[in-house]
Amino acid sequence: MAIPFKLDHDGLAQCAQELRAAMLAYREDVIGYYEQEVIDQELEHLKPILDLCIAEEMEEPFPLIDYVNPKVFGDVLAVPELTKLYYKLAELLRGGMSHEEFWASEHTKERRMPRQYRTAPQLRLG
């Protein structure tokens, strides 16, 4: 049985924009090349999800915590101005489900990408 959800599209758009802006601002402030590389890579990795949120086209909950390497926001980019927004976005992407409901849902069990980024299964001929 599917657990009902409701995405806050306005909240997702605002938070995604704020996270992207904060990451870009942090990139300008850090001196280390390694940190800049991590930010560039993570911005590229997050781009499809942030773009869907900003365009208000996210259709279902998404397990952001599983999508992002835990070391990124737990180590290299573990600064309050980034982690606060990252965890807020992850919470908004739960679609109003409780933590327990979300982790028990098909959205996390199946590790699905948003519909717009799923590939159709390939048919095997022969």
Side-chain angles (χ1 to χ4, degrees), residues 9-21:
H9 291 288
D10 292 337
L12 283 168
Q14 181 179 350
C15 190
Q17 288 172 337
E18 289 174 4
L19 178 58
R20 181 178 281 159

mmCIF file with all atom_site columns, all heavy atoms in Angstrom, residues 9-21:
data_model
loop_
_atom_site.group_PDB
_atom_site.id
_atom_site.type_symbol
_atom_site.label_atom_id
_atom_site.label_alt_id
_atom_site.label_comp_id
_atom_site.label_asym_id
_atom_site.label_entity_id
_atom_site.label_seq_id
_atom_site.pdbx_PDB_ins_code
_atom_site.Cartn_x
_atom_site.Cartn_y
_atom_site.Cartn_z
_atom_site.occupancy
_atom_site.B_iso_or_equiv
_atom_site.pdbx_formal_charge
_atom_site.auth_seq_id
_atom_site.auth_comp_id
_atom_site.auth_asym_id
_atom_site.auth_atom_id
_atom_site.pdbx_PDB_model_num
ATOM 1  N N   . HIS A 1 9  ? 5.843  22.297 -2.983  1.00 0.00 ? 9  HIS A N   1
ATOM 2  C CA  . HIS A 1 9  ? 6.630  22.745 -4.136  1.00 0.00 ? 9  HIS A CA  1
ATOM 3  C C   . HIS A 1 9  ? 7.272  24.110 -3.920  1.00 0.00 ? 9  HIS A C   1
ATOM 4  O O   . HIS A 1 9  ? 8.411  24.322 -4.329  1.00 0.00 ? 9  HIS A O   1
ATOM 5  C CB  . HIS A 1 9  ? 5.775  22.729 -5.403  1.00 0.00 ? 9  HIS A CB  1
ATOM 6  C CG  . HIS A 1 9  ? 5.427  21.341 -5.840  1.00 0.00 ? 9  HIS A CG  1
ATOM 7  N ND1 . HIS A 1 9  ? 6.339  20.485 -6.385  1.00 0.00 ? 9  HIS A ND1 1
ATOM 8  C CD2 . HIS A 1 9  ? 4.256  20.664 -5.770  1.00 0.00 ? 9  HIS A CD2 1
ATOM 9  C CE1 . HIS A 1 9  ? 5.765  19.335 -6.656  1.00 0.00 ? 9  HIS A CE1 1
ATOM 10 N NE2 . HIS A 1 9  ? 4.499  19.413 -6.284  1.00 0.00 ? 9  HIS A NE2 1
ATOM 11 N N   . ASP A 1 10 ? 6.552  25.016 -3.266  1.00 0.00 ? 10 ASP A N   1
ATOM 12 C CA  . ASP A 1 10 ? 7.138  26.332 -2.987  1.00 0.00 ? 10 ASP A CA  1
ATOM 13 C C   . ASP A 1 10 ? 8.331  26.204 -2.049  1.00 0.00 ? 10 ASP A C   1
ATOM 14 O O   . ASP A 1 10 ? 9.384  26.812 -2.266  1.00 0.00 ? 10 ASP A O   1
ATOM 15 C CB  . ASP A 1 10 ? 6.097  27.275 -2.370  1.00 0.00 ? 10 ASP A CB  1
ATOM 16 C CG  . ASP A 1 10 ? 4.997  27.667 -3.338  1.00 0.00 ? 10 ASP A CG  1
ATOM 17 O OD1 . ASP A 1 10 ? 5.228  27.600 -4.571  1.00 0.00 ? 10 ASP A OD1 1
ATOM 18 O OD2 . ASP A 1 10 ? 3.897  28.020 -2.880  1.00 0.00 ? 10 ASP A OD2 1
ATOM 19 N N   . GLY A 1 11 ? 8.173  25.401 -1.004  1.00 0.00 ? 11 GLY A N   1
ATOM 20 C CA  . GLY A 1 11 ? 9.267  25.190 -0.057  1.00 0.00 ? 11 GLY A CA  1
ATOM 21 C C   . GLY A 1 11 ? 10.452 24.499 -0.705  1.00 0.00 ? 11 GLY A C   1
ATOM 22 O O   . GLY A 1 11 ? 11.610 24.865 -0.459  1.00 0.00 ? 11 GLY A O   1
ATOM 23 N N   . LEU A 1 12 ? 10.186 23.502 -1.550  1.00 0.00 ? 12 LEU A N   1
ATOM 24 C CA  . LEU A 1 12 ? 11.262 22.808 -2.258  1.00 0.00 ? 12 LEU A CA  1
ATOM 25 C C   . LEU A 1 12 ? 12.028 23.765 -3.168  1.00 0.00 ? 12 LEU A C   1
ATOM 26 O O   . LEU A 1 12 ? 13.261 23.758 -3.198  1.00 0.00 ? 12 LEU A O   1
ATOM 27 C CB  . LEU A 1 12 ? 10.702 21.645 -3.094  1.00 0.00 ? 12 LEU A CB  1
ATOM 28 C CG  . LEU A 1 12 ? 10.319 20.392 -2.337  1.00 0.00 ? 12 LEU A CG  1
ATOM 29 C CD1 . LEU A 1 12 ? 9.512  19.457 -3.225  1.00 0.00 ? 12 LEU A CD1 1
ATOM 30 C CD2 . LEU A 1 12 ? 11.568 19.691 -1.825  1.00 0.00 ? 12 LEU A CD2 1
ATOM 31 N N   . ALA A 1 13 ? 11.302 24.595 -3.907  1.00 0.00 ? 13 ALA A N   1
ATOM 32 C CA  . ALA A 1 13 ? 11.942 25.536 -4.824  1.00 0.00 ? 13 ALA A CA  1
ATOM 33 C C   . ALA A 1 13 ? 12.824 26.520 -4.063  1.00 0.00 ? 13 ALA A C   1
ATOM 34 O O   . ALA A 1 13 ? 13.981 26.756 -4.437  1.00 0.00 ? 13 ALA A O   1
ATOM 35 C CB  . ALA A 1 13 ? 10.884 26.284 -5.637  1.00 0.00 ? 13 ALA A CB  1
ATOM 36 N N   . GLN A 1 14 ? 12.290 27.072 -2.995  1.00 0.00 ? 14 GLN A N   1
ATOM 37 C CA  . GLN A 1 14 ? 13.053 28.049 -2.216  1.00 0.00 ? 14 GLN A CA  1
ATOM 38 C C   . GLN A 1 14 ? 14.291 27.407 -1.598  1.00 0.00 ? 14 GLN A C   1
ATOM 39 O O   . GLN A 1 14 ? 15.398 27.952 -1.671  1.00 0.00 ? 14 GLN A O   1
ATOM 40 C CB  . GLN A 1 14 ? 12.182 28.661 -1.135  1.00 0.00 ? 14 GLN A CB  1
ATOM 41 C CG  . GLN A 1 14 ? 12.916 29.692 -0.307  1.00 0.00 ? 14 GLN A CG  1
ATOM 42 C CD  . GLN A 1 14 ? 12.034 30.321 0.759   1.00 0.00 ? 14 GLN A CD  1
ATOM 43 O OE1 . GLN A 1 14 ? 10.826 30.129 0.784   1.00 0.00 ? 14 GLN A OE1 1
ATOM 44 N NE2 . GLN A 1 14 ? 12.652 31.073 1.650   1.00 0.00 ? 14 GLN A NE2 1
ATOM 45 N N   . CYS A 1 15 ? 14.132 26.245 -0.999  1.00 0.00 ? 15 CYS A N   1
ATOM 46 C CA  . CYS A 1 15 ? 15.250 25.584 -0.331  1.00 0.00 ? 15 CYS A CA  1
ATOM 47 C C   . CYS A 1 15 ? 16.323 25.160 -1.342  1.00 0.00 ? 15 CYS A C   1
ATOM 48 O O   . CYS A 1 15 ? 17.518 25.300 -1.074  1.00 0.00 ? 15 CYS A O   1
ATOM 49 C CB  . CYS A 1 15 ? 14.740 24.388 0.457   1.00 0.00 ? 15 CYS A CB  1
ATOM 50 S SG  . CYS A 1 15 ? 15.988 23.672 1.536   1.00 0.00 ? 15 CYS A SG  1
ATOM 51 N N   . ALA A 1 16 ? 15.910 24.642 -2.487  1.00 0.00 ? 16 ALA A N   1
ATOM 52 C CA  . ALA A 1 16 ? 16.869 24.226 -3.518  1.00 0.00 ? 16 ALA A CA  1
ATOM 53 C C   . ALA A 1 16 ? 17.666 25.423 -4.028  1.00 0.00 ? 16 ALA A C   1
ATOM 54 O O   . ALA A 1 16 ? 18.890 25.339 -4.218  1.00 0.00 ? 16 ALA A O   1
ATOM 55 C CB  . ALA A 1 16 ? 16.142 23.533 -4.668  1.00 0.00 ? 16 ALA A CB  1
ATOM 56 N N   . GLN A 1 17 ? 16.993 26.551 -4.237  1.00 0.00 ? 17 GLN A N   1
ATOM 57 C CA  . GLN A 1 17 ? 17.689 27.761 -4.674  1.00 0.00 ? 17 GLN A CA  1
ATOM 58 C C   . GLN A 1 17 ? 18.671 28.233 -3.612  1.00 0.00 ? 17 GLN A C   1
ATOM 59 O O   . GLN A 1 17 ? 19.803 28.621 -3.922  1.00 0.00 ? 17 GLN A O   1
ATOM 60 C CB  . GLN A 1 17 ? 16.687 28.874 -4.982  1.00 0.00 ? 17 GLN A CB  1
ATOM 61 C CG  . GLN A 1 17 ? 15.905 28.648 -6.232  1.00 0.00 ? 17 GLN A CG  1
ATOM 62 C CD  . GLN A 1 17 ? 14.782 29.660 -6.424  1.00 0.00 ? 17 GLN A CD  1
ATOM 63 O OE1 . GLN A 1 17 ? 14.301 30.283 -5.469  1.00 0.00 ? 17 GLN A OE1 1
ATOM 64 N NE2 . GLN A 1 17 ? 14.349 29.819 -7.655  1.00 0.00 ? 17 GLN A NE2 1
ATOM 65 N N   . GLU A 1 18 ? 18.233 28.205 -2.364  1.00 0.00 ? 18 GLU A N   1
ATOM 66 C CA  . GLU A 1 18 ? 19.103 28.641 -1.263  1.00 0.00 ? 18 GLU A CA  1
ATOM 67 C C   . GLU A 1 18 ? 20.312 27.719 -1.116  1.00 0.00 ? 18 GLU A C   1
ATOM 68 O O   . GLU A 1 18 ? 21.427 28.200 -0.885  1.00 0.00 ? 18 GLU A O   1
ATOM 69 C CB  . GLU A 1 18 ? 18.319 28.697 0.044   1.00 0.00 ? 18 GLU A CB  1
ATOM 70 C CG  . GLU A 1 18 ? 17.319 29.829 0.101   1.00 0.00 ? 18 GLU A CG  1
ATOM 71 C CD  . GLU A 1 18 ? 16.447 29.797 1.343   1.00 0.00 ? 18 GLU A CD  1
ATOM 72 O OE1 . GLU A 1 18 ? 16.659 28.926 2.222   1.00 0.00 ? 18 GLU A OE1 1
ATOM 73 O OE2 . GLU A 1 18 ? 15.531 30.636 1.431   1.00 0.00 ? 18 GLU A OE2 1
ATOM 74 N N   . LEU A 1 19 ? 20.112 26.416 -1.253  1.00 0.00 ? 19 LEU A N   1
ATOM 75 C CA  . LEU A 1 19 ? 21.228 25.477 -1.141  1.00 0.00 ? 19 LEU A CA  1
ATOM 76 C C   . LEU A 1 19 ? 22.230 25.702 -2.272  1.00 0.00 ? 19 LEU A C   1
ATOM 77 O O   . LEU A 1 19 ? 23.437 25.771 -2.030  1.00 0.00 ? 19 LEU A O   1
ATOM 78 C CB  . LEU A 1 19 ? 20.736 24.024 -1.154  1.00 0.00 ? 19 LEU A CB  1
ATOM 79 C CG  . LEU A 1 19 ? 21.825 22.952 -1.096  1.00 0.00 ? 19 LEU A CG  1
ATOM 80 C CD1 . LEU A 1 19 ? 22.689 23.098 0.156   1.00 0.00 ? 19 LEU A CD1 1
ATOM 81 C CD2 . LEU A 1 19 ? 21.213 21.557 -1.167  1.00 0.00 ? 19 LEU A CD2 1
ATOM 82 N N   . ARG A 1 20 ? 21.744 25.835 -3.489  1.00 0.00 ? 20 ARG A N   1
ATOM 83 C CA  . ARG A 1 20 ? 22.641 26.075 -4.623  1.00 0.00 ? 20 ARG A CA  1
ATOM 84 C C   . ARG A 1 20 ? 23.421 27.383 -4.415  1.00 0.00 ? 20 ARG A C   1
ATOM 85 O O   . ARG A 1 20 ? 24.639 27.418 -4.599  1.00 0.00 ? 20 ARG A O   1
ATOM 86 C CB  . ARG A 1 20 ? 21.850 26.135 -5.922  1.00 0.00 ? 20 ARG A CB  1
ATOM 87 C CG  . ARG A 1 20 ? 22.732 26.367 -7.152  1.00 0.00 ? 20 ARG A CG  1
ATOM 88 C CD  . ARG A 1 20 ? 21.947 26.376 -8.430  1.00 0.00 ? 20 ARG A CD  1
ATOM 89 N NE  . ARG A 1 20 ? 21.670 25.006 -8.815  1.00 0.00 ? 20 ARG A NE  1
ATOM 90 C CZ  . ARG A 1 20 ? 20.697 24.651 -9.635  1.00 0.00 ? 20 ARG A CZ  1
ATOM 91 N NH1 . ARG A 1 20 ? 19.877 25.544 -10.143 1.00 0.00 ? 20 ARG A NH1 1
ATOM 92 N NH2 . ARG A 1 20 ? 20.529 23.380 -9.957  1.00 0.00 ? 20 ARG A NH2 1
ATOM 93 N N   . ALA A 1 21 ? 22.740 28.447 -4.015  1.00 0.00 ? 21 ALA A N   1
ATOM 94 C CA  . ALA A 1 21 ? 23.395 29.735 -3.789  1.00 0.00 ? 21 ALA A CA  1
ATOM 95 C C   . ALA A 1 21 ? 24.414 29.640 -2.661  1.00 0.00 ? 21 ALA A C   1
ATOM 96 O O   . ALA A 1 21 ? 25.520 30.193 -2.765  1.00 0.00 ? 21 ALA A O   1
ATOM 97 C CB  . ALA A 1 21 ? 22.350 30.808 -3.484  1.00 0.00 ? 21 ALA A CB  1
#
